[in-house]
Amino acid sequence: DAGVTQSPTHLIKTRGQQVTLRCSPKSGHDTVSWYQQALGQGPQFIFQYYEEEERQRGNFPDRFSGHQFPNYSSELNVNALLLGDSALYLCASSLQWYSTDTQYFGPGTRLTVL
Amino acid sequence: DAKTTQPPSMDCAEGRAANLPCNHSTISGNEYVYWYRQIHSQGPQYIIHGLKNNETNEMASLIITEDRKSSTLILPHATLRDTAVYYCIVRVEEYSSASKIIFGSGTRLSIRP
């Protein structure tokens, strides 16, 4: 049973560029959440996708957008990259309406903006 | 979601029990206490959660005080592989497990040989 997978593992971009990160949820899960983790801090919630729609959003600018596909996989897009966007980006999957389940995290994508 | 307070760091000898405290004095009646840990450069890993009763699984035990204002995560026999940042989180469960998780700064636990 595959867990949450993310690609790529590492990514280096320059300021102003755009980046797309990918996530495949744990088998059987239908909801994907994205988190940003700056060095030395706890993860911060970006947004969540369910049924191909953004359902919840944290305090992140519109430069951060996402998408969910019919197979439940998801992409996180960041436009006009800033140095401060350098972070570990984590994807977590869960079941939307199963209250006793929890969120399972992938290994993350390390983004470095130069 | 209620705010939690954890010590920034702790250490424990290998083979001993590691007891990680968490204060959540503003917790509401429908909020659960969750614990996650994050080993260096990996994604957070779910450990355990509870509402008001003490809970135990293969990884740890969770002790919640009667007034629910604080809790303790217990790793019964700590190993070097338990070195990680441990996050105590309070979440409203309602009928969906998909609600966002609000992480604090956590406790950095170091296990010494």
Side-chain angles (χ1 to χ4, degrees):
Chain A
D1 180 20
V4 180
T5 60
Q6 293 185 244
S7 63
T9 306
H10 295 86
L11 204 52
I12 298 175
K13 292 286 188 177
T14 57
R15 281 178 298 174
Q17 284 189 311
Q18 178 264 343
V19 68
T20 298
L21 311 181
R22 296 175 177 83
C23 171
S24 291
K26 185 177 185 289
S27 178
H29 282 180
D30 58 9
T31 301
V32 172
S33 301
W34 287 92
Y35 294 80
Q36 179 196 64
Q37 186 173 25
L39 200 62
Q41 298 181 21
Q44 300 295 309
F45 175 75
I46 302 175
F47 45 51
Q48 180 187 95
Y49 277 82
Y50 169 65
E51 290 187 332
E52 303 179 46
E53 290 186 14
E54 183 183 294
R55 300 290 179 160
Q56 301 180 59
R57 189 177 183 93
N59 189 25
F60 279 81
D62 292 343
R63 298 187 297 109
F64 290 77
S65 63
H67 187 77
Q68 186 179 36
F69 299 94
N71 67 353
Y72 308 122
S73 67
S74 177
E75 290 182 348
L76 164 65
N77 300 293
V78 187
N79 294 322
L81 284 167
L82 304 173
L83 295 179
D85 295 331
S86 295
L88 180 68
Y89 287 85
L90 296 160
C91 165
S93 76
S94 58
L95 274 171
Q96 182 68 215
W97 303 117
Y98 187 30
S99 64
T100 60
D101 200 358
T102 186
Q103 294 189 19
Y104 294 84
F105 285 81
T109 293
R110 172 75 60 189
L111 172 65
T112 301
V113 182
L114 302 176
Chain B
D1 291 344
K3 181 179 171 62
T4 63
T5 303
Q6 299 178 252
S9 64
M10 294 182 63
D11 66 73
C12 177
E14 190 176 18
R16 303 297 295 269
N19 297 281
L20 291 87
C22 179
N23 286 320
H24 31 79
S25 58
T26 60
I27 192 170
S28 300
N30 63 345
E31 289 181 313
Y32 285 68
V33 179
Y34 276 75
W35 284 84
Y36 279 77
R37 74 179 182 184
Q38 187 172 24
I39 296 169
H40 183 62
S41 295
Q42 296 182 22
Q45 176 191 24
Y46 165 79
I47 301 173
I48 197 167
H49 75 285
L51 183 62
K52 49 182 147 181
N53 297 322
N54 298 337
E55 301 288 344
T56 296
N57 63 19
E58 65 279 3
M59 289 183 67
S61 294
L62 173 61
I63 309 297
I64 303 174
T65 58
E66 192 169 343
D67 64 6
R68 303 209 324 121
K69 293 185 177 182
S70 66
S71 61
T72 301
L73 178 74
I74 301 172
L75 307 178
H77 305 286
T79 71
L80 297 177
R81 287 176 294 181
D82 292 322
T83 294
V85 177
Y86 287 76
Y87 295 99
C88 171
I89 296 149
V90 174
R91 294 174 68 197
V92 175
E93 190 73 2
E94 295 177 333
Y95 46 83
S96 168
S97 70
S99 60
K100 63 184 178 183
I101 299 174
I102 300 176
F103 289 87
S105 300
T107 295
R108 184 171 299 278
L109 176 67
S110 300
I111 307 299
R112 59 181 188 275

